[in-house]
């Protein structure tokens, strides 16, 4: 299990650096005012942020996921791997259940982390140098929210995070398991790395598509109140207002940037985790535990997943 945690930490850090700019674009598109939209689409948003806020604008809120996602991936891969060992049989259903349990548990860290990330990403929109910064950094953001709203404040969006993460991670691990088997990924395969990258990337895309509408609502709830104006009373009110103003297409806002981000981030994460476990287990293949169970390096748990 220690290897699963270590692999998750490494994979998480690699994934954050690759995908954060796309995440900033996604959040801006999801929460922008429908009556006075600042951005026409993914590429216009990307260009506008760079032009108005410099390239660093794309990395607003990076501190929160750099701290949080490393631990989140460690928890996810560790819990998923342990759950698979407890479940015993390696079946598609068990892969889904193990992934879903891991997704649910990591929400404790994921929700406050994404709240801070979202608030930081929205701060100073359209300004190269913010005239008045509400938050100095991600930690300061959480401290200020806690001082003003308490525990409930820093857990804003917890229900939607739980609804998104539980089935999302189940689909994530299930898709990766199915794809690596279909692609016949073996340690001796000369095309192992490209296959792992493809399987990881497609797993991330499948996971995001399966729960994306919930993510839109989560982002809107967590960004609500920035600037001092509250628009939503809760999940149902947010859904009702969003659909009434923008129609059902609201649930696909920012999807393009999300999928552009999902492939490289999850390809990097899963390939890094799998190759790390494969390398480490080669060094430990004589240990009693590994002798008792044949090595299955392409399922990150021993078989395991991610964000």
């Amino acid at each position: 299990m220690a290897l699963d945690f270590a692999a998750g930490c490494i994979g998480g850090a690699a994934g954050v650096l690759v995908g954060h700019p796309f995440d900033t674009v996604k959040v801006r598109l999801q929460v922008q005012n429908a009556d006075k939209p600042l951005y026409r689409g993914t590429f216009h948003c990307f260009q506008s942020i760079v032009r108005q806020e410099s390239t660093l604008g794309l990395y607003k809120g990076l501190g929160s996921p750099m701290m949080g996602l490393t631990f989140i991936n460690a928890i996810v891969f560790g819990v998923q791997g342990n759950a698979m060992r407890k479940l015993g049989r390696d079946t598609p259903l068990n892969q889904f259940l193990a992934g879903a349990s891991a997704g649910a548990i990591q929400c404790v860290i994921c929700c406050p982390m994404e709240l801070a990330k979202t608030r930081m990403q929205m701060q100073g929109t359209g300004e190269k140098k913010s005239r008045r910064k509400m938050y100095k950094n991600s930690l300061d953001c959480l401290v200020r929210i806690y001082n003003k709203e308490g525990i409930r404040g820093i857990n804003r969006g917890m229900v939607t995070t739980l609804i998104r993460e539980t089935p999302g991670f189940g689909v994530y691990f299930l898709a990766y398991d199915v794809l690596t088997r279909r692609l016949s990924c073996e340690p001796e395969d000369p095309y192992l790395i490209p296959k792992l990258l493809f399987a990881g990337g497609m797993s991330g895309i499948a996971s995001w598509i399966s729960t994306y509408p919930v993510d839109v609502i989560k982002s809107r709830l967590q960004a609500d109140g920035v600037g001092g104006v509250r628009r939503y009373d809760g999940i149902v009110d947010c859904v009702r207002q969003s659909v009434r103003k923008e129609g059902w297409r609201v649930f696909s806002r920012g999807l393009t940037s999300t999928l552009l981000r999902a492939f490289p981030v999850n390809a990097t994460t899963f390939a890094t985790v799998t190759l790390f476990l494969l390398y480490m287990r080669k060094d430990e293949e004589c240990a009693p535990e590994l002798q008792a169970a044949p090595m299955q390096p392409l399922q990150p748990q021993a078989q395991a997943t991610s964000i």
Side-chain angles (χ1 to χ4, degrees):
M1 188 172 178
L3 282 181
D4 295 328
F5 277 102
C9 286
I10 296 171
V16 171
L17 292 173
V18 171
H20 192 76
F22 293 104
D23 186 72
T24 300
V25 172
K26 179 204 77 166
V27 170
R28 294 283 182 91
L29 289 171
Q30 285 180 330
V31 305
Q32 71 174 338
N33 191 324
D35 297 324
K36 298 179 181 178
L38 293 174
Y39 313 112
R40 295 191 298 270
T42 298
F43 296 106
H44 180 250
C45 180
F46 195 98
Q47 291 172 340
S48 298
I49 292 173
V50 173
R51 186 176 64 254
Q52 297 169 358
E53 305 170 44
S54 82
T55 304
L56 293 178
L58 295 169
Y59 288 91
K60 284 183 176 179
L62 179 63
S64 179
M66 278 300 289
M67 291 186 296
L69 280 179
T70 300
F71 293 110
I72 285 174
N73 274 22
I75 291 171
V76 166
F77 280 93
V79 170
Q80 197 268 354
N82 199 46
M84 282 300 297
R85 285 187 282 273
K86 293 290 185 183
L87 290 170
R89 295 181 59 207
D90 180 12
T91 64
L93 177 60
N94 284 349
Q95 286 284 351
F96 179 87
L97 293 175
S101 63
I105 290 172
Q106 58 87 45
C107 286
V108 177
I109 296 177
C110 178
C111 182
M113 180 211 75
E114 293 208 345
L115 174 65
K117 174 185 70 68
T118 299
R119 294 290 177 91
M120 291 296 294
Q121 287 172 326
M122 295 302 298
Q123 182 170 257
T125 298
E127 300 176 2
K128 192 162 190 176
K129 190 172 183 180
S130 300
R131 289 186 289 272
R132 187 180 70 85
K133 285 188 176 182
M134 185 177 295
Y135 312 115
K136 297 177 183 177
N137 50 50
S138 298
L139 182 59
D140 179 61
C141 176
L142 288 175
V143 170
R144 285 175 178 271
I145 293 172
Y146 176 77
N147 289 338
K148 187 176 181 180
E149 304 175 50
I151 291 292
R152 185 174 181 179
I154 63 173
N155 285 294
R156 180 179 297 278
M158 177 63 80
V159 174
T160 47
T161 301
L162 190 64
I163 295 172
R164 183 193 70 179
E165 299 291 83
T166 303
F169 273 96
V171 171
Y172 188 42
F173 280 100
L174 173 61
Y176 185 73
D177 180 66
V178 170
L179 285 170
T180 51
R181 293 178 188 278
R182 292 286 185 183
L183 293 171
S184 301
C185 296
E186 298 296 339
E188 303 80 16
D189 190 339
Y191 300 107
L192 175 62
I193 293 178
K195 287 181 178 181
L196 291 178
L197 289 170
F198 177 77
M202 293 307 295
S203 299
I205 287 176
S207 175
W208 272 109
I209 289 176
S210 68
T211 58
Y212 192 75
V214 181
D215 184 68
V216 174
I217 299 304
K218 180 199 73 70
S219 293
R220 292 191 167 204
L221 289 173
Q222 291 186 325
D224 194 31
V226 173
V229 180
R230 282 276 166 82
R231 292 190 293 169
Y232 310 118
D233 292 330
I235 297 173
V236 175
D237 183 55
C238 182
V239 172
R240 186 185 298 118
Q241 286 194 46
S242 298
V243 173
R244 186 172 65 243
K245 278 189 175 184
E246 304 165 63
W248 293 101
R249 289 184 64 184
V250 67
F251 295 117
S252 63
R253 279 193 180 276
L255 181 60
T256 301
S257 62
T258 299
L259 298 184
L260 287 173
R261 168 183 176 266
F263 191 93
V265 166
N266 292 286
T268 303
T269 299
F270 254 129
T272 301
V273 169
T274 302
L275 292 172
F276 175 82
L277 291 175
L278 177 58
Y279 175 78
M280 295 301 294
R281 285 176 182 147
K282 277 185 177 178
D283 291 341
E284 298 181 3
E285 59 187 359
C286 294
E289 182 182 343
L290 294 180
Q291 287 178 336
M295 182 174 65
Q296 297 183 27
L298 304 178
Q299 320 300 319
Q301 76 284 358
Q303 265 227 193
T305 125
S306 145
I307 123 184

